[in-house]
Amino acid sequence: MVDHELGVSFKEGEEEPEDDDDEAFEVSSVSGNESEEEVNLMALAEEINTESFGPLRLERKTVVEMRNVWNAYCQSHDTIEAAADLLYEAIFESSPAIQQVFTTPKAVQAMRFIDAFDSYLACLDKPKQLKQMVELLAYRHINIDVTVTTAEIFRDAIMDLLVEVVHDFDMSARIGWLAFLGWIGGAHIYIKTTYQERLSTLEDCWQKANKTDGTADAKASGHAKQSQNYAPKPQKTLDDDEDDDAVETSSSFEEEDARGADAEWESETENVGEEKKSCCCCFGRTRHATGDGASAENVTRTTSSKSTGSENTKSAVAFVPSNFKEMFEFNIQVMGLRSNAWLEEILYSFDAIVTHIGNPKRLEEELDVLTLRIAKVAWEDVNLNQFKSVMLASLRSLLPKEWDTHHEVAWNWLWDVVDQLLSKNLGKPYEWENSLYYFLQAIGEDTGYQLRSTIYDRFFIAAPLGQDYFKQSDTRLHFIMQRVFNFSMDIFADPWQVVDDISALGLRHVGYGVPTELFGPFVTAVLEVMLPAAGTSSAKEALRWSLALIAQQLVRTISEGSTLVMKAVNTNSGGQLVKAVNLAPRGKRAEWLLNVQVGTHSISPLFWAIQSGSLDAARSIIEDLLVIRADRERYYFGADDLFGRHQDIVGILCHEAPSILPTLLDGLCWRSTRTQAGTRRANYYVKHLIINKDGQPAEFLRELCKIKDPKLMCHPVVVTVSDKLWSGLVQRQFLLSRLWFIASLITLMLSQSILPKIPALASITAVRWIILFGRCSIYCGTLVRLIIRHAAQTFAAIRHRKFRTYWHVILVPEYLHDLFQGGSLILMMMLLLMCFNEPMLHCAVSSPDTFPTDHCGDDNGTIESTRRLYSVWGMLSMGLHWGLMLDLSVFSTGLSAFFLVLTQVLGIIGPFVIALVFELLMFGTAVTLLQTNYFEMRDIPNSVLALFAMVVMLFEDDYRSVYDEPALLIVVFVFFLSVLIVLMNILIAQLNSSYVFIYQDMIGFARIRRALVIVETLSTLEASKWERFVSSLNFDKPLEFNEGDVGMAGGLQICEPASEHVVLKETIARFGGLCSEDMQWPDEGRQEEDKLIKVQELADEALLQATKQAKLRRRKMLAGTDDDGGDHGDPQGYRHSSFVRPPIDVDDEDDAGLSFAGGDD
């Protein structure tokens, strides 16, 4: 305890009764003449106590002088914002170590300093409330490494600023400020040291209350990177006129009080009758509600409702909650609090509150959002103690054995923190929303444009790096700024949707690679420009608060989402991506590549890589996921994770990156390096290509049919899936669906082409009845079926607006572009015309005595003309029937390929026919102008017909007939030259080249056609048949790799010809060592790189040795020439005078010395 003459005393564990009477604060003052004592007291005040944290008690005079100093500082500036900026700069510039924890925008943080000191100084004469506020402040900085040195730097920076600005700063106020600031710094250090045990208690209790093992949060995070902790900024807390006893501080919970409360609760439990004891959770809520402010009337109503045996209460009692959410909901129903919607909002966020209690900045963000949500559902005053009552009762009921005084203290402390953070802004969002809305709406277009331009100018000056990211056009930049203003308004109007939108926006900025350091200067620039234009303080506060919350959410989202994998995706580097994912535990490797979770939103690095065009990174992700890795205990294969995260991955790749599809398909296939009896074992993991996660047919083949890539359709995986569906299910179903058509064709042939054409059967009445029955079955069966079918499909096209427009006028349903559907529509029309012109029906009217017959008496020739029309429509119907039978060619891939090639090749004949018609018209019209006696070319129709007959070799006349007509003979000769030599040969050349080109892919086109049939058939398949087919595939049965090596399930195993796919290297990456899922895989790239380095070193060493040996041999040769005194190659012994022996470098001499010492080479 410090001497009272100092005016400051620290009393730990002792509470003074707070009173408004001035005498309660009368303590002796320090005499102004005792300079030596002042020095001692100053030194004592400068000490920072980190061993304890008790209430700070100042004498009344010291409190008044400290407040006067603060008021003088604030009044020495023109605006409060200027005072806040100067205070911020003094603290920020005091030490580089302090600068690292400032992440909130300057304009926001500066005002928080002012608000915090206003609140603290207002409570200097209320030690209990001041201690509570500082305790909250210290908790919000619990993740920051506060030391005595940093506390002294912070204190000295503020003291120096006050001394510099405030001239009337006497010794008593200086000692009070030193003690006050030092007390706050010591509180930070003390609370950081002592609260870790409390946080551990909360975490353990919450896991037990929710039946979790502590891994849920880690799995939800989506990556191993821990969230970055930020320094919470001080904010304004309780108002001056708030009652000191409104909120209990955690430090006031002494063990004796906690034990007393616990004992009281237990004693109340014993007084309850056996009927209530049967439901301990119900009892705990009821009694605790009574003790924490719930009226006795509510308890009585609850009890009476139970005794009456109402259905709702009976069902509630019969239900036994097993976790906190169920227990809480049950409790609020029993206590009659179900109508309070704000309780549901807090319950929805309570898991995040408890989870992030160790991260104050994250907790504050969650509570700020919760404040907005409560403001939208609470139409009256919110009593937060109601939630506290239900919360404690629920926890006590869930943990009756573990609950003790430590839990009581910890959970009361947690709710005190939540209560204070919620209470400081509760009730303000409604006023903020209105004032901010009117302020932003009042800004005119020209003024708004000028304000937005000024914001960007200031931002680019404060953060030049921002120009590298705001590279869009000026209109786009103004659009972005307007979106910022809209977010600041909409977050008050619809916090649920806007918070989700902000999270999604932050995850997109993760893909853009935007530095989080730019958000602070950006928000500061916005506030510096917009706050002077705001008319009311409420609008200023609303804009400052909303932008700070939005920026905090974006920064957190980007920080948590900026994993090493995302950074590699942004650079589109496959090598960096492999290095990044090699740091992942083997059990979470796929999770790193597929999910980055931030709050309730997630982003897939794979999807972002595809969407942003980083195809190298996307290909590397797919390759890494589909590599089969194995240790001694288990196999790791990412196919289930890939399709579980992106069920539509095939559709995404088909539309965004078709070039990566072969990589995906290759990864789903494993082939053995061993062969047996000329075959090779192959496993195709195609479960997700056949069935989706809902058990329905997958969209794999449908998506492939859209891109119509014949080479891709011939991929072994696609062939396996297609053949398995075709042979196991679709083939039989398709044949059954076409039986009616085959029967219709047979009936049509019998009733039209066979029975009526046999004269011997014409007089037999039974045969005529058979013919009539066959024709009626065509009309009533085939025709009616086609009408119903096309009517339904047409109405569906109208309902879904699936049309194609021709010549901007004609609308054709999209389904008619299928050849079979279009042909069946024409067949329906032909059958309708046949029905209207049926001769037997007409004869039934004109000659009922001879019915049934189609040859009856006709006086005016009407029946005869009807029979002629009927024969034409019948001929066309018969031809269409046979033409539509080509659809059955899908049963044979080769036959289907042939017809497809024929269809493709026939398309080339169209231009030839057009050219031929042009030639015929040109020469036919030209010939008629000649003065000739040749009868066959007397006019245009006959000339064209004669020329066409010459082309097709059906002209009956001879060229000698026109021998006497040289002009006509020349025209015919030129016509033959242009048609038979030029056009025909061009047609033959085109047919040949087209056939060669189409032949290469005709199997692929045939498989596309079969795939379309499969997709169409599966869309109408009965669910029971599909389930039987899926169960027959045994996808749950693990497949063997090699004999005795059991691998993963989810595939089909077949034996392929060994020569079809040659496999020289095992594709399964096997590793030894420990088998823990938390360990990383060995660096495969490093192993391969080390091997290459060794090979390179060996090659370099061999090359060096070869070079040395060559130099030695050259020296020996030169030395032997000098010793002989002549050139052995020159018979005359002639030596060139210009010959100079090449110099030997140092390395050569060393090599030579080694050679001579070691012997001959």
Side-chain angles (χ1 to χ4, degrees):
M1 183 179 69
V2 182
D3 190 356
H4 279 284
E5 291 182 349
L6 175 62
V8 183
S9 63
F10 299 92
K11 295 182 180 181
E12 183 178 3
E14 186 176 355
E15 296 281 350
E16 285 186 4
E18 297 187 16
D19 194 358
D20 292 337
D21 191 2
D22 293 339
E23 294 181 359
F25 298 94
E26 288 183 1
V27 292
S28 59
S29 303
V30 178
S31 175
N33 298 324
E34 301 174 359
S35 59
E36 183 178 354
E37 184 179 358
E38 290 178 358
V39 174
N40 295 332
L41 294 177
M42 181 73 73
L44 185 61
E46 290 179 351
E47 294 182 0
I48 296 178
N49 181 18
T50 61
E51 301 299 329
S52 62
F53 177 52
L56 174 67
R57 304 187 188 280
L58 302 173
E59 76 170 353
R60 184 68 174 178
K61 178 182 177 181
T62 304
V63 171
V64 173
E65 291 177 352
M66 290 175 64
R67 290 173 176 171
N68 291 336
V69 170
W70 179 250
N71 291 333
Y73 169 78
C74 294
Q75 293 173 3
S76 64
H77 299 81
D78 297 334
T79 61
I80 192 64
E81 286 81 6
D85 291 341
L86 186 59
L87 179 60
Y88 180 91
E89 292 292 341
I91 299 173
F92 186 81
E93 299 295 340
S94 60
S95 173
I98 294 181
Q99 297 177 7
Q100 298 176 1
V101 300
F102 282 79
T103 57
T104 304
K106 175 183 175 181
V108 177
Q109 184 61 58
M111 287 304 301
R112 287 182 178 178
F113 280 136
I114 296 295
D115 293 341
F117 277 113
D118 283 343
S119 301
Y120 301 153
L121 291 172
C123 295
L124 279 177
D125 52 359
K126 300 178 181 180
K128 181 179 178 181
Q129 186 172 340
L130 179 62
K131 179 177 180 292
Q132 173 186 330
M133 297 166 64
V134 173
E135 183 180 14
L136 177 63
L137 175 67
Y139 156 73
R140 289 160 62 185
H141 293 78
I142 197 172
N143 289 327
I144 299 177
D145 188 15
V146 180
T147 62
V148 175
T149 302
T150 55
E152 291 175 348
I153 293 173
F154 185 87
R155 179 196 63 189
D156 295 342
I158 297 177
M159 289 298 299
D160 293 342
L161 177 64
L162 294 177
V163 171
E164 179 183 355
V165 176
V166 181
H167 301 290
D168 187 13
F169 201 176
D170 59 11
M171 184 59 65
S172 178
R174 186 173 300 182
I175 293 175
W177 273 97
L178 284 173
F180 169 61
L181 295 175
W183 176 68
I184 292 178
H188 282 71
I189 301 173
Y190 175 80
I191 288 177
K192 180 179 178 63
T193 306
T194 57
Y195 277 22
Q196 294 299 328
E197 181 180 355
R198 188 171 296 177
L199 296 176
S200 300
T201 301
L202 291 172
E203 181 181 2
D204 180 68
C205 182
W206 187 246
Q207 291 177 6
K208 292 179 180 179
N210 290 279
K211 302 294 190 299
T212 62
D213 57 357
T215 60
D217 184 65
K219 291 182 179 179
S221 63
H223 52 83
K225 179 180 177 180
Q226 296 295 331
S227 300
Q228 183 178 356
N229 296 323
Y230 297 89
K233 306 301 183 292
Q235 293 187 4
K236 185 175 180 180
T237 56
L238 300 177
D239 296 333
D240 294 342
D241 56 353
E242 184 177 358
D243 186 66
D244 295 328
D245 297 329
V247 184
E248 299 179 4
T249 180
S250 61
S251 60
S252 65
F253 275 92
E254 304 293 344
E255 285 196 9
E256 292 79 4
D257 298 334
R259 291 195 188 100
D262 197 37
E264 182 182 357
W265 175 74
E266 291 176 358
S267 64
E268 291 174 350
T269 306
E270 296 175 356
N271 295 331
V272 180
E274 293 298 325
E275 181 179 358
K276 288 188 178 181
K277 285 185 179 179
S278 62
C279 183
C280 62
C281 56
C282 173
F283 159 75
R285 292 184 179 84
T286 306
R287 299 304 300 166
H288 196 73
T290 306
D292 283 277
S295 64
E297 182 182 355
N298 290 338
V299 180
T300 305
R301 285 199 302 266
T302 304
T303 307
S304 62
S305 63
K306 291 181 182 181
S307 62
T308 56
S310 62
E311 294 299 329
N312 294 335
T313 307
K314 284 183 178 180
S315 61
V317 173
F319 173 69
V320 180
S322 60
N323 54 44
F324 179 81
K325 182 177 182 297
E326 296 175 355
M327 186 71 74
F328 190 94
E329 292 177 345
F330 180 80
N331 198 359
I332 60 176
Q333 181 177 357
V334 172
M335 296 174 64
L337 301 176
R338 175 66 68 179
S339 60
N340 294 336
W342 59 270
L343 287 173
E344 296 289 343
E345 293 298 331
I346 301 180
L347 177 62
Y348 176 80
S349 303
F350 197 65
D351 179 72
I353 292 173
V354 180
T355 302
H356 299 295
I357 189 65
N359 186 353
K361 191 174 183 68
R362 179 69 177 89
L363 176 65
E364 188 174 2
E365 177 191 329
E366 188 70 29
L367 293 178
D368 285 342
V369 175
L370 180 59
T371 302
L372 295 173
R373 296 207 301 263
I374 291 176
K376 303 305 293 185
V377 299
W379 302 103
E380 56 186 10
D381 293 338
V382 175
N383 184 6
L384 295 177
N385 283 330
Q386 292 180 351
F387 188 93
K388 178 182 178 181
S389 302
V390 182
M391 174 195 71
L392 292 176
S394 302
L395 291 170
R396 290 166 180 164
S397 301
L398 288 169
L399 306 171
K401 297 181 179 179
E402 294 87 350
W403 193 265
D404 55 15
T405 55
H406 296 288
H407 293 80
E408 192 80 22
V409 170
W411 284 99
N412 275 280
W413 167 78
L414 177 142
W415 186 252
D416 289 338
V417 172
V418 173
D419 194 335
Q420 293 183 62
L421 293 176
L422 280 177
S423 299
K424 63 186 176 68
N425 290 322
L426 206 59
K428 296 181 180 179
Y430 179 76
E431 179 184 357
W432 286 348
E433 179 181 0
N434 292 332
S435 58
L436 183 60
Y437 174 80
Y438 289 122
F439 163 58
L440 294 178
Q441 291 297 321
I443 299 176
E445 183 176 354
D446 296 337
T447 305
Y449 184 89
Q450 184 63 34
L451 289 174
R452 293 191 294 267
S453 301
T454 307
I455 289 173
Y456 281 113
D457 292 340
R458 293 198 179 186
F459 171 63
F460 292 148
I461 293 174
L465 181 62
Q467 301 182 53
D468 297 335
Y469 294 92
F470 286 90
K471 298 181 292 186
Q472 297 87 349
S473 63
D474 187 63
T475 55
R476 175 66 179 174
L477 293 181
H478 283 270
F479 170 78
I480 293 174
M481 185 56 61
Q482 188 60 45
R483 287 290 303 274
V484 173
F485 295 149
N486 292 340
F487 270 132
S488 65
M489 289 190 300
D490 295 341
I491 198 170
F492 293 105
D494 190 1
W496 297 273
Q497 182 62 40
V498 174
V499 168
D500 289 344
D501 293 342
I502 292 173
S503 299
L505 179 64
L507 287 175
R508 288 200 298 271
H509 280 73
V510 170
Y512 301 146
V514 177
T516 57
E517 294 80 7
L518 296 178
F519 285 91
F522 184 80
V523 174
T524 301
V526 174
L527 294 177
E528 288 177 352
V529 175
M530 298 299 296
L531 291 183
T536 62
S537 59
S538 178
K540 294 180 180 180
E541 189 176 3
L543 183 62
R544 184 186 297 112
W545 187 85
S546 61
L547 288 180
L549 177 59
I550 293 171
Q552 184 177 352
Q553 286 184 309
L554 289 174
V555 169
R556 176 184 56 82
T557 303
I558 295 173
S559 299
E560 294 179 2
S562 296
T563 62
L564 296 175
V565 174
M566 286 299 297
K567 293 178 181 178
V569 169
N570 292 335
T571 59
N572 193 22
S573 172
Q576 291 185 15
L577 189 139
V578 173
K579 292 180 180 179
V581 78
N582 281 339
L583 301 176
R586 59 184 65 177
K588 293 185 177 180
R589 190 180 182 101
E591 199 170 5
W592 276 38
L593 294 171
L594 293 173
N595 189 41
V596 177
Q597 184 78 29
V598 180
T600 58
H601 285 265
S602 63
I603 187 174
S604 169
L606 173 59
F607 181 75
W608 180 259
I610 296 172
Q611 194 176 40
S612 62
S614 301
L615 299 186
D616 290 341
R619 184 178 289 103
S620 298
I621 291 176
I622 293 178
E623 289 176 351
D624 191 272
L625 285 170
L626 299 182
V627 171
I628 303 176
R629 298 178 177 87
D631 52 28
R632 293 188 304 274
E633 293 184 356
R634 61 184 63 86
Y635 283 92
Y636 296 86
F637 187 48
D640 291 340
D641 299 284
L642 174 60
F643 286 94
R645 183 69 172 91
H646 298 291
Q647 181 179 343
D648 57 342
I649 182 62
V650 176
I652 294 173
L653 293 179
C654 287
H655 296 288
E656 303 289 342
S659 60
I660 306 181
L661 273 173
T663 303
L664 173 66
L665 298 177
D666 291 340
L668 297 176
C669 178
W670 171 87
R671 294 184 178 88
S672 175
T673 56
R674 304 176 184 178
T675 61
Q676 184 177 4
T679 61
R680 187 188 309 277
R681 181 177 298 182
N683 293 349
Y684 291 93
Y685 294 94
V686 296
K687 174 183 177 180
H688 301 286
L689 303 182
I690 295 179
I691 58 176
N692 57 25
K693 62 181 180 181
D694 299 325
Q696 301 300 318
E699 298 292 321
F700 172 62
L701 290 179
R702 185 187 299 274
E703 296 296 339
L704 291 184
C705 291
K706 291 180 180 178
I707 61 175
K708 298 181 179 180
D709 187 349
K711 291 183 173 59
L712 196 61
M713 292 300 298
C714 294
H715 192 281
V717 172
V718 182
V719 171
T720 301
V721 173
S722 177
D723 290 349
K724 178 59 66 173
L725 289 172
W726 175 258
S727 61
L729 185 66
V730 177
Q731 182 177 10
R732 180 172 177 272
Q733 194 70 19
F734 178 74
L735 181 59
L736 291 176
S737 66
R738 293 296 187 266
L739 284 179
W740 70 270
F741 198 78
I742 298 174
S744 175
L745 177 60
I746 295 174
T747 304
L748 184 64
M749 292 174 58
L750 288 173
S751 60
Q752 298 288 344
S753 301
I754 298 178
L755 296 180
K757 303 303 179 181
I758 301 177
L761 301 178
S763 59
I764 302 177
T765 305
V767 174
R768 295 200 303 269
W769 279 106
I770 292 175
I771 294 173
L772 177 62
F773 177 78
R775 295 182 179 181
C776 291
S777 65
I778 293 294
Y779 304 141
C780 298
T782 304
L783 179 58
V784 173
R785 181 187 177 96
L786 289 175
I787 292 174
I788 295 174
R789 178 179 175 182
H790 284 283
Q793 291 181 335
T794 302
F795 288 142
I798 295 173
R799 184 171 62 253
H800 298 293
R801 299 180 181 274
K802 293 184 177 180
F803 288 94
R804 291 189 183 181
T805 306
Y806 292 93
W807 298 293
H808 304 285
V809 177
I810 302 176
L811 296 178
V812 178
E814 191 172 341
Y815 81 94
L816 290 178
H817 289 81
D818 180 74
L819 186 62
F820 181 83
Q821 298 291 347
S824 63
L825 178 65
I826 298 176
L827 177 61
M828 180 193 73
M829 297 178 180
M830 296 297 102
L831 292 178
L832 275 174
L833 293 174
M834 287 180 63
C835 181
F836 292 151
N837 294 275
E838 175 59 47
M840 285 191 171
L841 298 180
H842 288 276
C843 289
V845 176
S846 61
S847 302
D849 298 338
T850 60
F851 184 80
T853 182
D854 56 354
H855 293 80
C856 55
D858 184 15
D859 297 336
N860 53 11
T862 304
I863 301 298
E864 184 63 25
S865 61
T866 301
R867 277 199 299 267
R868 291 184 178 276
L869 287 175
Y870 182 80
S871 64
V872 173
W873 307 137
M875 177 193 68
L876 295 177
S877 298
M878 185 69 69
L880 281 173
H881 261 89
W882 280 106
L884 294 177
M885 286 294 293
L886 294 177
D887 192 47
L888 298 176
S889 62
V890 295
F891 282 93
S892 172
T893 304
L895 183 61
S896 178
F898 172 78
F899 283 116
L900 287 174
V901 170
L902 182 62
T903 304
Q904 296 293 329
V905 170
L906 289 178
I908 304 173
I909 300 179
F912 169 79
V913 173
I914 294 175
L916 179 60
V917 171
F918 177 80
E919 294 274 355
L920 290 173
L921 291 175
M922 180 180 67
F923 284 94
T925 54
V927 165
T928 57
L929 298 178
L930 290 175
Q931 294 294 329
T932 177
N933 296 323
Y934 192 61
F935 182 78
E936 299 295 338
M937 296 184 180
R938 58 187 180 274
D939 52 19
I940 293 178
N942 286 281
S943 298
V944 171
L945 182 61
L947 292 174
F948 179 74
M950 294 178 186
V951 172
V952 297
M953 304 300 178
L954 295 178
F955 191 65
E956 297 180 354
D957 206 350
D958 192 84
Y959 77 95
R960 289 173 292 186
S961 302
V962 295
Y963 186 79
D964 297 332
E965 304 284 346
L968 180 60
L969 187 61
I970 293 174
V971 170
V972 172
F973 176 76
V974 173
F975 172 77
F976 268 78
L977 182 65
S978 61
V979 173
L980 296 180
I981 298 179
V982 178
L983 289 183
M984 292 296 294
N985 283 282
I986 290 176
L987 175 63
I988 294 171
Q990 285 184 335
L991 291 175
N992 185 38
S993 61
S994 298
Y995 178 80
V996 171
F997 174 77
I998 296 173
Y999 178 80
Q1000 299 174 357
D1001 298 324
M1002 64 177 182
I1003 299 297
F1005 285 114
R1007 291 197 170 275
I1008 291 175
R1009 186 181 178 190
R1010 175 178 286 186
L1012 290 172
V1013 174
I1014 293 174
V1015 170
E1016 181 184 357
T1017 305
L1018 291 179
S1019 63
T1020 59
L1021 189 66
E1022 297 178 3
S1024 58
K1025 294 182 179 179
W1026 173 253
E1027 291 174 358
R1028 288 196 299 269
F1029 169 73
V1030 172
S1031 62
S1032 66
L1033 298 178
N1034 296 322
F1035 279 137
D1036 296 332
K1037 180 181 179 181
L1039 302 180
E1040 281 189 342
F1041 290 113
N1042 290 312
E1043 188 175 1
D1045 185 7
V1046 180
M1048 303 86 63
L1052 302 172
Q1053 187 173 95
I1054 61 176
C1055 291
E1056 302 176 340
S1059 59
E1060 186 174 351
H1061 300 282
V1062 179
V1063 181
L1064 302 177
K1065 182 181 178 181
E1066 177 61 65
T1067 56
I1068 300 177
R1070 301 183 183 273
F1071 301 92
L1074 299 178
C1075 303
S1076 173
E1077 295 186 15
D1078 297 329
M1079 295 181 59
Q1080 302 172 357
W1081 290 112
D1083 192 349
E1084 306 169 33
R1086 175 61 59 185
Q1087 293 178 356
E1088 296 295 332
E1089 185 177 351
D1090 292 342
K1091 293 179 181 179
L1092 292 176
I1093 291 175
K1094 290 180 180 180
V1095 172
Q1096 183 66 31
E1097 290 176 352
L1098 291 175
D1100 293 341
E1101 184 178 355
L1103 181 60
L1104 180 61
Q1105 292 295 332
T1107 303
K1108 290 180 178 180
Q1109 296 298 334
K1111 291 179 179 179
L1112 290 176
R1113 284 195 296 270
R1114 188 174 67 252
R1115 289 195 195 95
K1116 287 183 179 181
M1117 182 184 65
L1118 294 175
T1121 302
D1122 292 341
D1123 294 340
D1124 293 343
D1127 189 356
H1128 296 285
D1130 189 354
Q1132 299 179 358
Y1134 178 77
R1135 307 186 70 175
H1136 297 280
S1137 61
S1138 62
F1139 175 81
V1140 179
R1141 181 176 178 177
I1144 301 177
D1145 56 14
V1146 178
D1147 293 337
D1148 291 342
E1149 292 185 0
D1150 293 339
D1151 295 340
L1154 292 172
S1155 177
F1156 293 151
D1160 296 337
D1161 185 11

